């Protein structure tokens, strides 16, 4: 929180550490609550009445459930607590107050898991996303093909035990041998499979979705039982005679059986396609689309050379590719930057982006009440918030009642 008497962009802090934040206030699902907040000692005291003349916006802090790093540091690449915090802070400065740390396909992910668990235990991460290694060797994307393999349940159980309950999602290709068994083991540990990096057929994808949904119901799993890892990327595209996994994942998202990730940076996907998916899924399932960054070490950094899972990545004009190729190697945007591109471009409303960047991921993971997570603003709530100017610049960021920017 700002020091007493310090002027902020949106309010003035007095001697009692009270600040008034001005802007149209949205909850995690993009619903308007009022036109300002009164905050004392990091907690909401009052939501000011709606006033259409008030400019700017106040949203909950964003939640990123697929993020490999930022600020020059990579979660999968020999992370230390200091490097992990550097990456986390690169996202916090742009309003992401809660995130999962994503690994990639590694020969031995245990060292990374153990280091990331420390940041989970400190409350700085909400969990871990394992992207691989149980994926298709034909759709590695920016992952080391030498680490890719079929599921081994004993191996997976070792990782889940080391994760101490913090492994929340894991990317698996639906067609690999043992995919369903691995999905069930994940659910037994409170984690969810995320289908991706795949060459699966439509019928096989549909079968795996149905089996996973049925098992989740059998064991009383309380949230959505599966997601799709960066839909469209690293999977076959839709064709008119073989619509493939994309069609099945979208249909399941509308039915509430899957939540689909979109890397909504307008680089991984065309902005019109992002808009189309949101408009297709949300009327039936408001939490069926989750915006993620797939960010790597170069997020929040200048163009240059970086690492992702031991592989060299070049960033030019903000686009990350495997060195010497045109294969996209993660993102460089933060969630707020995705909001800026989509809302300024007229592709989606701020309300829709907030729902996909806060309400949907919070619902998918069931993380209400966790550090960095605010779903609504009412008296007594600890402040996790982003204050935007009228033209969607990030003016202020608050996490757990502390002003970060």
């Amino acid at each position: 929180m700002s020091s007493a008497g310090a002027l902020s962009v949106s309010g003035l802090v007095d001697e009692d550490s009270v600040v008034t934040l001005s802007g149209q206030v949205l909850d995690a699902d993009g619903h308007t609550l009022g036109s300002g907040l009164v905050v004392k000692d990091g907690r909401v005291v009052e939501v000011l009445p709606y006033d259409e003349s008030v400019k700017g916006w106040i949203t909950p802090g964003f939640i990123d459930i697929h993020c490999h790093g930022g600020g020059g540091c990579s979660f999968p690449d020999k992370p230390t607590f200091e490097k992990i915090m550097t990456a986390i802070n690169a996202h916090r400065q742009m309003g992401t107050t809660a995130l999962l740390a994503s690994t990639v396909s590694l020969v031995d992910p245990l060292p990374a898991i153990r280091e990331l668990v420390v940041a989970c235990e400190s409350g700085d991460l909400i969990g871990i996303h394992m992207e691989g290694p149980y994926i298709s060797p034909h759709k590695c994307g920016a992952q080391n093909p030498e680490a890719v393999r079929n599921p081994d349940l004993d191996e997976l159980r070792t990782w889940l035990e080391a994760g101490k309950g913090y492994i929340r999602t894991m990317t698996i290709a639906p067609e690999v041998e043992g995919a369903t068994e691995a999905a069930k083991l994940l659910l037994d540990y409170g984690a969810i499979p995320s289908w991706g990096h795949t060459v699966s057929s439509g019928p096989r994808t549909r079968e795996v979705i149905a089996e996973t949904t049925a098992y989740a119901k059998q064991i009383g799993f309380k949230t959505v039982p599966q997601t799709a890892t960066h839909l469209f990327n690293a999977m076959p595209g839709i064709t008119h005679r073989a619509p493939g996994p994309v069609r099945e994942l979208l249909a399941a998202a509308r039915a509430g059986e899957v939540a689909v990730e979109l890397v909504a940076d307008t680089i991984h996907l065309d902005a019109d396609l992002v808009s189309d998916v949101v408009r297709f899924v949300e009327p039936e399932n408001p939490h069926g689309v989750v915006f993620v960054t797939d960010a790597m070490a170069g997020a929040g950094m200048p163009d240059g050379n970086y690492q992702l899972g031991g592989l060299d990545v070049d960033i030019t004009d903000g686009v990350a590719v495997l060195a010497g190729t045109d294969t996209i190697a993660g993102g460089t945007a933060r969630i707020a930057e995705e909001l800026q591109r989509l809302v300024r471009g007229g592709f989606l409303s701020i309300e829709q982006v907030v729902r996909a960047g806060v309400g949907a991921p919070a619902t998918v993971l069931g993380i209400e009440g966790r550090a960095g997570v605010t779903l609504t603003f009412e008296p007594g709530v600890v402040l996790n918030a982003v204050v935007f100017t009228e033209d969607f610049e990030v003016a202020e960021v608050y996490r757990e009642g502390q002003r970060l920017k």
Side-chain angles (χ1 to χ4, degrees):
M1 182 69 76
S2 305
S3 60
L7 182 66
S8 73
V9 171
S10 58
L12 182 68
V13 182
D14 68 15
E15 304 303 328
D16 296 320
S17 296
V18 175
V19 61
T20 299
L21 304 177
S22 180
Q24 301 300 344
V25 181
L26 303 180
D27 69 9
D29 284 331
H31 301 133
T32 300
L33 302 178
S35 297
L37 298 175
V38 179
V39 180
K40 181 176 182 180
D41 297 329
R43 292 182 180 270
V44 176
V45 174
E46 181 184 359
V47 179
L48 299 178
Y50 176 72
D51 179 349
E52 65 179 7
S53 70
V54 171
K55 305 300 183 183
W57 306 86
I58 302 170
T59 75
F62 294 106
I63 302 168
D64 191 354
I65 67 171
H66 185 157
C67 175
H68 298 280
C73 297
S74 174
F75 295 133
D77 292 283
K78 299 179 180 179
T80 62
F81 186 77
E82 181 180 8
K83 290 180 179 178
I84 292 167
M85 288 307 304
T86 296
I88 290 171
N89 286 330
H91 290 270
R92 285 183 182 172
Q93 287 298 312
M94 282 297 288
T96 299
T97 55
L99 58 81
L100 293 183
S102 300
T103 63
V104 292
S105 294
L106 300 169
V107 173
D108 180 12
L110 275 174
I113 291 171
R114 289 173 177 141
E115 289 294 335
L116 293 170
V117 163
V118 176
C120 294
E121 292 176 331
S122 70
D124 291 296
L125 291 172
I126 55 171
I128 299 167
H129 159 228
M130 296 188 69
E131 190 173 13
Y134 304 149
I135 61 174
S136 169
H138 307 292
K139 286 290 183 179
C140 291
Q143 305 218 23
N144 182 1
E146 295 181 3
V148 172
R149 52 200 184 268
N150 285 340
D152 178 322
L153 297 187
D154 290 335
E155 179 181 61
L156 177 55
R157 189 176 289 105
T158 298
W159 299 339
L160 291 166
E161 291 288 344
K164 298 182 179 181
Y166 290 110
I167 295 176
R168 304 303 308 275
T169 63
M170 182 179 192
T171 301
I172 303 175
E175 74 276 14
V176 298
E177 184 178 351
T180 303
E181 290 75 17
K184 291 178 179 178
L185 183 59
L186 287 167
L187 291 168
D188 288 339
Y189 275 81
I192 55 178
S194 185
W195 308 116
H197 282 275
T198 176
V199 292
S200 180
S201 67
R204 174 56 182 164
T205 305
R206 186 184 315 137
E207 177 184 17
V208 168
I209 291 171
E211 289 184 16
T212 302
T213 301
Y215 186 72
K217 290 179 179 178
Q218 177 186 326
I219 65 173
F221 201 78
K222 297 187 183 302
T223 63
V224 65
Q226 56 213 316
T227 63
T229 296
H230 46 49
L231 190 73
F232 297 104
N233 297 117
M235 61 181 65
I238 292 179
T239 64
H240 62 295
R241 290 196 177 93
V246 171
R247 187 266 172 200
E248 300 302 327
L249 292 163
L250 283 171
R254 276 174 60 93
E257 297 175 348
V258 171
V260 295
E261 293 180 0
L262 297 180
V263 185
D265 59 2
T266 70
I267 294 169
H268 282 74
L269 298 174
D270 183 85
D272 282 318
L273 182 59
V274 172
S275 174
D276 288 345
V277 171
V278 170
R279 297 178 198 281
F280 178 71
V281 173
E282 279 200 344
E284 299 296 326
N285 179 10
H287 296 136
V289 178
V290 178
F291 287 174
V292 299
T293 62
D294 195 16
M296 42 75 71
M301 298 292 287
D303 288 353
N305 180 261
Y306 298 89
Q307 289 276 306
L308 179 60
L311 304 180
D312 288 328
V313 176
D314 291 329
I315 298 178
T316 304
D317 296 330
V319 179
V321 298
L322 284 180
T325 77
D326 60 0
T327 300
I328 289 181
T332 61
R334 280 74 59 91
I335 297 287
E337 289 163 320
E338 295 183 344
L339 180 150
Q340 291 166 346
R341 296 170 192 181
L342 292 168
V343 178
R344 286 171 176 167
F347 300 101
L348 290 171
S349 68
I350 186 172
E351 292 86 353
Q352 289 171 309
V353 178
V354 168
R355 185 159 52 248
V358 186
T363 300
V364 167
L365 294 183
I367 53 173
E368 183 176 1
R370 294 288 299 276
V373 178
T374 292
L375 302 185
T376 192
F377 297 107
E378 56 189 23
V381 168
V382 176
L383 193 64
N384 294 283
V386 189
V387 180
F388 287 95
T389 65
E390 183 179 4
D391 61 352
F392 306 106
E393 289 296 322
V394 174
E396 299 179 48
V397 177
Y398 295 83
R399 185 180 190 273
E400 291 297 287
Q402 299 296 311
R403 184 179 175 188
L404 305 182
K405 178 176 180 177

